[in-house]
């Protein structure tokens, strides 16, 4: 996001310079180290959500393709699981370096396929992707020291990995890097609206001469994902996506003996105490909810403000919203890009209608014009929200913030925890003792203190309650890929 005072209101203008990331007309499935056509011959389009232009066609994997990919991963597992750890590390380091070398192209591709601002894909997503591969490359030959007492940590086997569309390549890195470091092989399915960086990653695996079948990429929609996670020869399922689909996967995996980790939805509280630095907290709110158009599982989508500073926070938020530049995601000055898809935009609009119908007050202060084509939602927030309102309870997954107030720390904690989710939380206060007291009582997998939405490969990430179970990243994330 830009600095709060940097930019006045403006008219939308397209960016002058364009970089061609070399998108092909057609992409096939990556199975056993080769790009092959789907047995079912079905394809689907992937579009640029900022222009609605078709970017490419991808093959839609059916159950036979899933069989072939799982068989390739099984065959590769025999050798990969016995490959010397320092050899595995070489491949991961090679992949990490190649991601850095091709980072410009990957960032542009991510932005074109998904709609996120290039500044975010360039400065956040792709550097973190490389960091995840570097980090996990370092673990390959240290696994026996990672878990004292476990003398012989072993890989689990073939991993089925299904990811969403909000951080496509980063979610892939979170899944593939630890799996490979621990000696597993994978079949990964990217989301149907953002398949292109995963397919580019398959090309990187080829370039790095990763042994055939260690990584397999299947494109397709929910049905492809279902075939994959239900495949009987899969040993481990790692899913990131909605709570509704996560519950279905938990049900279908029950009793199969498959290992399972679920990273699901959230409705995370961001709590501002009156003693906080309010200007700093405003930036944290902006970062918490309008980063990546609010398409962030851990978005700080419920804001709790101590009553005495509520009107100040609302006024400052309105002012800050007017400075956010919405528009062409490829323009490096853009703060808020396109909504990922037409259906997601319709979902967000439905929540906005419901929110105001329930009595909340809408604040959408920007008068900036938007591009004619594409899927757009001006960032906004709603005040006068009650805890029972739909917009206070359900994940919207868009640039929409629900603002509520509280009087005492006790009330803040109980209202923050009054949700079925438990992914993340933020606390803003200048008092150290309050930080520790509140943070220790919040039901969330991750709690940010005087900051928000900070990610690092060394930090475990994951939820409690209906936000899922298992951790990704750091030492904790390795557990999900090892038999200890
Ligand atoms: P989604 O659950 O609809 O889809 C996620 C993925 O699952 C896609 O690849 C989809 O094709 C696939 N899928 C759909 N139905 C399936 C089925 N029956 N079996 C197997 N796979 C299936 O979610 P989405 O709309 O793509 O993503 C948004 C959701 O993801 C939000 O709820 C968000 O909070 C969550 N998310 C969570 C995290 C986290 O780390 N906790 C990270 C990013 C996104």
């Amino acid at each position: 996001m830009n600095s709060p005072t940097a930019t006045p209101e403006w008219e939308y203008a397209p960016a002058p310079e364009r970089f061609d990331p070399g998108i092909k007309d057609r992409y096939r499935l990556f199975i056993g180290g080769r790009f092959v056509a789907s047995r079912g011959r079905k394809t689907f389009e992937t579009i640029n959500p900022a222009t609605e232009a078709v970017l490419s066609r991808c093959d839609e994997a059916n159950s036979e393709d899933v069989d072939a990919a799982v068989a390739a991963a099984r065959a590769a597992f025999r050798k990969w699981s016995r490959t010397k750890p320092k050899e595995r590390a070489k491949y991961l380091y090679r992949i990490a370096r190649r991601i850095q070398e091709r980072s410009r192209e990957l960032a542009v591709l991510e932005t074109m396929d998904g709609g996120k601002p290039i500044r975010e894909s360039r400065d956040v997503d792709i550097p973190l992707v490389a960091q995840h591969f570097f980090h996990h490359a370092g673990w390959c030959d240290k696994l026996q020291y990672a878990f004292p007492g476990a003398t012989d940590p072993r890989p689990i086997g073939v991993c089925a990995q299904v990811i969403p569309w909000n951080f496509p390549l980063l979610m892939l890195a979170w899944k593939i890097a630890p799996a490979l470091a621990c000696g597993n092989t994978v079949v990964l399915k990217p989301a149907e609206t953002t398949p292109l960086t995963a397919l580019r990653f398959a090309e990187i695996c080829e370039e790095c001469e990763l042994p055939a079948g260690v990584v397999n990429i299947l494109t397709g929609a929910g049905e492809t994902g279902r075939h994959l996670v239900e495949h009987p020869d899969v040993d481990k399922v790692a899913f990131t996506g909605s709570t509704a689909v996560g519950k279905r996967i938990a049900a279908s995996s029950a009793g199969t003996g498959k290992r399972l980790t679920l990273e699901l939805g959230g409705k995370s509280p961001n709590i501002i105490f009156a003693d906080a630095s309010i200007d700093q907290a405003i930036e944290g709110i902006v970062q918490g909810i309008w980063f990546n158009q609010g398409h962030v599982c851990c978005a700080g989508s419920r804001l709790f403000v101590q009553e005495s500073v509520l009107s100040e926070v609302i006024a400052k938020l309105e002012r800050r919203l007017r400075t956010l530049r919405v528009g062409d995601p490829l323009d490096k000055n853009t703060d808020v890009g396109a909504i990922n898809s037409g259906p997601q935009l319709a979902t967000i609009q439905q929540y906005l209608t419901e929110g105001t119908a329930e009595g909340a007050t809408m604040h959408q202060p920007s008068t900036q014009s938007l591009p004619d084509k594409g899927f757009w939602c001006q960032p906004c927030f709603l005040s006068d929200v009650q805890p029972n309102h739909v917009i206070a309870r359900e994940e919207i997954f868009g640039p929409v913030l629900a603002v509520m107030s509280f009087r005492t720390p006790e009330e803040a904690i109980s209202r923050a925890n009054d949700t079925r989710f438990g992914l993340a939380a933020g606390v803003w206060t200048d008092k150290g003792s309050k930080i520790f007291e509140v943070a220790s009582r919040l039901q969330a997998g991750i709690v940010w203190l005087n900051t928000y939405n900070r990610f690092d490969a060394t930090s475990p990430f994951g939820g409690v309650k209906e936000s899922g179970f298992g951790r990704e990243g750091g030492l904790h994330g390795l557990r999900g890929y090892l038999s200890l």
Side-chain angles (χ1 to χ4, degrees):
M1 299 283 167
N2 278 341
S3 73
T5 52
T7 38
E9 288 195 26
W10 48 74
E11 287 301 298
Y12 164 75
E17 189 195 319
R18 288 286 177 254
F19 171 86
D20 178 3
I23 300 172
K24 296 177 190 155
D25 293 340
R26 170 86 187 267
Y27 285 92
R28 301 183 191 281
L29 312 171
F30 187 64
I31 300 177
R34 290 188 313 124
F35 284 94
V36 295
S38 161
R39 274 82 172 160
R41 307 269 158 212
K42 273 174 86 177
T43 62
F44 63 98
E45 286 176 346
T46 184
I47 66 162
N48 180 340
T51 61
E52 296 175 58
V54 175
L55 294 173
S56 186
R57 291 198 80 82
C58 297
D59 278 22
E60 185 177 323
N62 66 10
S63 62
E64 289 175 59
D65 301 314
V66 171
D67 288 344
V70 172
R74 175 63 61 199
F77 178 70
R78 288 177 203 115
K79 204 159 166 206
W80 182 250
S81 58
R82 292 200 299 268
T83 299
K84 286 201 173 72
K86 66 177 183 198
E87 281 298 309
R88 288 206 305 268
K90 271 193 217 165
Y91 287 107
L92 269 83
Y93 278 123
R94 218 182 270 171
I95 290 171
R97 280 195 296 270
R98 203 64 192 120
I99 285 165
Q100 283 185 322
E101 284 159 11
R102 296 180 71 169
S103 59
R104 187 174 187 205
E105 155 205 343
L106 290 167
V108 172
L109 204 53
E110 198 75 307
T111 282
M112 288 177 75
D113 207 18
K116 67 173 63 198
I118 187 72
R119 221 178 42 228
E120 292 179 9
S121 37
R122 185 194 64 187
D123 298 347
V124 182
D125 293 56
I126 307 303
L128 277 174
V129 171
Q131 195 207 14
H132 268 268
F133 279 96
F134 278 121
H135 173 84
H136 286 95
W139 274 122
C140 292
D141 58 359
K142 299 171 194 69
L143 295 174
Q144 73 266 41
Y145 309 112
F147 302 100
T151 46
D152 185 20
R154 287 166 191 268
I156 295 171
V158 173
C159 305
Q161 305 181 318
V162 177
I163 56 172
W165 41 260
N166 54 346
F167 294 92
L169 197 59
L170 185 56
M171 291 298 108
L172 173 149
W174 282 22
K175 298 267 179 290
I176 292 185
L180 265 48
C182 295
N184 303 280
T185 56
V186 307
V187 181
L188 177 133
K189 191 197 86 64
E192 50 274 40
T193 58
T194 52
L196 295 185
T197 44
L199 292 160
R200 196 61 60 97
F201 178 81
E203 292 173 14
I204 288 175
C205 292
E206 273 188 321
E207 280 175 6
C208 295
E209 296 175 350
L210 187 73
V214 171
V215 167
N216 304 273
I217 307 284
L218 295 181
T219 44
E223 201 49 16
T224 305
R226 191 179 64 75
H227 287 306
L228 178 56
V229 299
E230 292 181 6
H231 197 286
D233 201 28
V234 156
D235 302 299
K236 146 103 194 187
V237 174
F239 173 77
T240 297
S242 60
T243 294
V245 173
K247 283 182 180 177
R248 256 176 266 153
I249 293 175
S252 68
S253 304
T256 63
K258 286 176 192 165
R259 293 271 296 268
L260 177 64
T261 44
L262 296 175
E263 304 273 4
L264 308 175
K267 189 76 184 174
S268 300
N270 208 356
I271 305 170
I272 301 189
F273 287 97
D275 57 40
S277 157
I278 300 299
D279 288 341
Q280 195 190 335
I282 296 291
E283 288 315 296
I285 299 166
V286 171
Q287 180 69 17
I289 185 66
W290 294 304
F291 171 65
N292 198 23
Q293 298 74 248
H295 299 329
V296 182
C297 49
C298 50
S301 52
R302 286 183 302 146
L303 181 67
F304 293 100
V305 187
Q306 200 153 20
E307 215 167 68
S308 59
V309 290
L310 180 64
S311 51
E312 179 188 353
V313 167
I314 287 184
K316 286 187 166 169
L317 266 184
E318 285 205 337
R319 204 172 322 143
R320 184 67 174 96
L321 265 188
R322 283 194 203 99
T323 71
L324 290 183
R325 249 183 117 138
V326 185
D328 184 0
L330 284 171
D331 184 336
K332 61 186 186 314
N333 293 313
T334 291
D335 295 304
V336 179
I339 299 302
N340 181 264
S341 67
Q344 184 60 26
L345 178 58
T347 303
I348 296 166
Q349 284 166 339
Q350 175 63 29
Y351 278 118
L352 292 179
T353 308
E354 268 184 75
T356 41
E358 281 186 310
T361 307
M362 175 76 157
H363 302 253
Q364 206 165 30
S366 176
T367 53
Q368 185 209 318
S369 63
L370 290 171
D372 299 334
K373 285 220 145 199
F375 312 121
W376 305 98
C377 177
Q378 287 281 12
C380 60
F381 66 94
L382 293 111
S383 60
D384 304 315
V385 176
Q386 298 304 317
N388 61 335
H389 284 174
V390 170
I391 52 163
R393 308 204 73 77
E394 292 184 14
E395 185 181 41
I396 299 175
F397 223 55
V400 181
L401 175 67
V403 180
M404 293 164 272
S405 65
F406 66 91
R407 286 189 183 164
T408 63
E410 208 53 47
E411 189 187 356
I413 294 165
S414 77
R415 292 187 65 185
N417 287 339
D418 180 21
T419 167
R420 63 194 174 102
F421 298 111
L423 193 50
V427 181
W428 298 82
T429 170
D430 267 0
K431 299 270 182 298
S433 56
K434 205 185 279 169
I435 285 182
F436 291 112
E437 167 67 7
V438 176
S440 66
R441 292 175 59 199
L442 288 172
Q443 297 163 349
I446 184 161
V447 182
W448 282 293
L449 306 167
N450 292 328
T451 187
Y452 207 92
N453 269 345
R454 297 279 165 196
F455 306 99
D456 191 277
T458 59
S459 291
F461 184 95
V464 296
K465 295 159 74 176
E466 290 193 24
S467 291
F469 50 80
R471 293 292 177 266
E472 291 186 313
L475 174 70
H476 301 71
L478 299 172
R479 282 187 180 278
Y481 289 98
L482 288 171
S483 289
L484 292 169

